[in-house]
Amino acid sequence: MQKIFVIEDDENIRELVKIALEGYGYSVETFETAENGLKKMEKAAPDLAVFDLMLPGMDGLTAIRRIRENRQINKIPVIILTARDKEYDKVAGLDGGADDYITKPFGVMELAARVRSLLRRCRENEEKEEETVCALGGLTVDTALREVTMQGHPVALTYKEYELLTYLIRNRSRVVTREELLDRLWEYTADIETRTLDIHIRTLRQKLGAEGGGYIRTIRSVGYRFAVEEK
């Protein structure tokens, strides 16, 4: 049974999420503070974590950044569940290491669908990855270790950023449409916000730097293509 940690200070929401996700067959453990959640993660990592941003003591964004800095738990997929609905907050959350962002009020069916989708993509990518090193221009991707370097310097990517990068690389012989990326990586329908793709592309380019960011070409009105000569 897959384990999910829910870090939320509002007891009613905490219990709602717990009951809802348990109804979908997940094992759920809840925490009122980020400190307690992180402490338990370091002892026994969950398959996925759901974080509120506004928490007593350490805030959720700081906690997520600490997860990404910790090599033992930095691959845990993280969903932010918060009342903060401004674009700035979404960008900050995704830049800070979250893989998905849901605003309150929320529907439990949507939350469960996002959890299910993210867990499935994690599993599928782990199964598909081969123990190889891919060198493209100044970029190197070690799919066995899930490590990315640019000109020899490590690049810290969130799970979703890594997933986006490797998908573009695997399909570098063609243009990948926005619709395909949204369908394959997020499984979004037309009524779900799609700006998250733009945010992930932008942050991925920033993290890869001037050279690496240029490898991801925008094809106007179509989508994106990864274009660089292989070593």
Side-chain angles (χ1 to χ4, degrees):
M1 183 179 292
Q2 292 173 301
K3 184 79 171 182
I4 298 176
F5 282 4
V6 176
I7 299 86
E8 165 66 61
D9 64 324
D10 186 309
E11 183 177 0
N12 292 329
I13 296 178
R14 195 164 63 238
E15 288 305 306
L16 171 64
V17 174
K18 176 179 171 65
I19 293 171
L21 293 180
E22 286 180 340
Y24 283 92
Y26 300 108
S27 172
V28 181
E29 191 166 351
T30 63
F31 304 88
E32 185 176 357
T33 68
E35 289 87 347
N36 289 340
L38 289 176
K39 186 180 297 184
K40 185 61 180 291
M41 280 184 198
E42 292 172 351
K43 294 180 180 178
D47 295 287
L48 182 144
V50 178
F51 268 92
D52 186 12
L53 289 181
M54 297 176 285
L55 296 167
M58 184 189 301
D59 64 86
L61 188 55
T62 299
I64 294 169
R65 286 172 176 156
R66 292 198 179 183
I67 290 172
R68 297 310 179 209
E69 293 169 355
N70 187 328
R71 291 180 63 87
Q72 293 183 317
I73 58 175
N74 65 5
K75 298 301 188 294
I76 297 174
V78 175
I79 296 176
I80 288 176
L81 181 63
T82 180
R84 294 182 178 177
D85 60 356
K86 304 298 183 184
E87 181 180 2
Y88 169 82
D89 295 315
K90 294 180 181 180
V91 171
L94 295 171
D95 279 348
D99 298 288
D100 205 348
Y101 195 106
I102 304 174
T103 57
K104 302 173 184 176
F106 63 96
V108 293
M109 291 181 65
E110 179 187 352
L111 173 62
R114 299 279 191 102
V115 167
R116 187 166 56 248
S117 176
L118 185 53
L119 286 171
R120 181 170 61 250
R121 292 304 174 188
C122 291
R123 183 179 64 252
E124 289 176 352
N125 276 278
E126 288 172 356
E127 291 173 352
K128 287 188 295 185
E129 285 177 351
E130 300 176 353
E131 295 189 3
T132 58
V133 175
C134 180
L136 301 163
L139 179 69
T140 301
V141 180
D142 186 327
T143 56
L145 300 176
R146 293 181 64 85
E147 292 182 348
V148 177
T149 60
M150 188 66 205
Q151 300 294 2
H153 301 289
V155 180
L157 300 180
T158 66
Y159 183 91
K160 191 61 71 175
E161 289 166 351
Y162 176 85
E163 196 175 31
L164 176 58
L165 175 63
T166 54
Y167 191 87
L168 290 172
I169 290 174
R170 287 197 303 270
N171 295 279
R172 60 187 179 276
S173 62
R174 63 185 179 88
V175 176
V176 181
T177 67
R178 289 174 55 82
E179 290 75 16
E180 178 180 347
L181 288 169
L182 289 167
D183 179 65
R184 296 298 181 87
L185 304 184
W186 282 273
E187 292 192 347
Y188 279 8
T189 55
D191 61 334
I192 299 296
E193 165 135 16
T194 61
R195 183 160 173 72
T196 186
L197 173 58
D198 301 321
I199 294 171
H200 277 77
I201 288 289
R202 182 168 71 243
T203 57
L204 180 56
R205 282 172 169 160
Q206 290 172 346
K207 290 183 178 182
L208 293 177
E211 180 184 347
Y215 296 163
I216 302 174
R217 310 280 180 83
T218 298
I219 309 302
R220 185 182 293 272
S221 302
V222 181
Y224 302 94
R225 183 186 175 208
F226 190 93
V228 62
E229 294 295 326
E230 297 188 34
K231 291 182 179 179

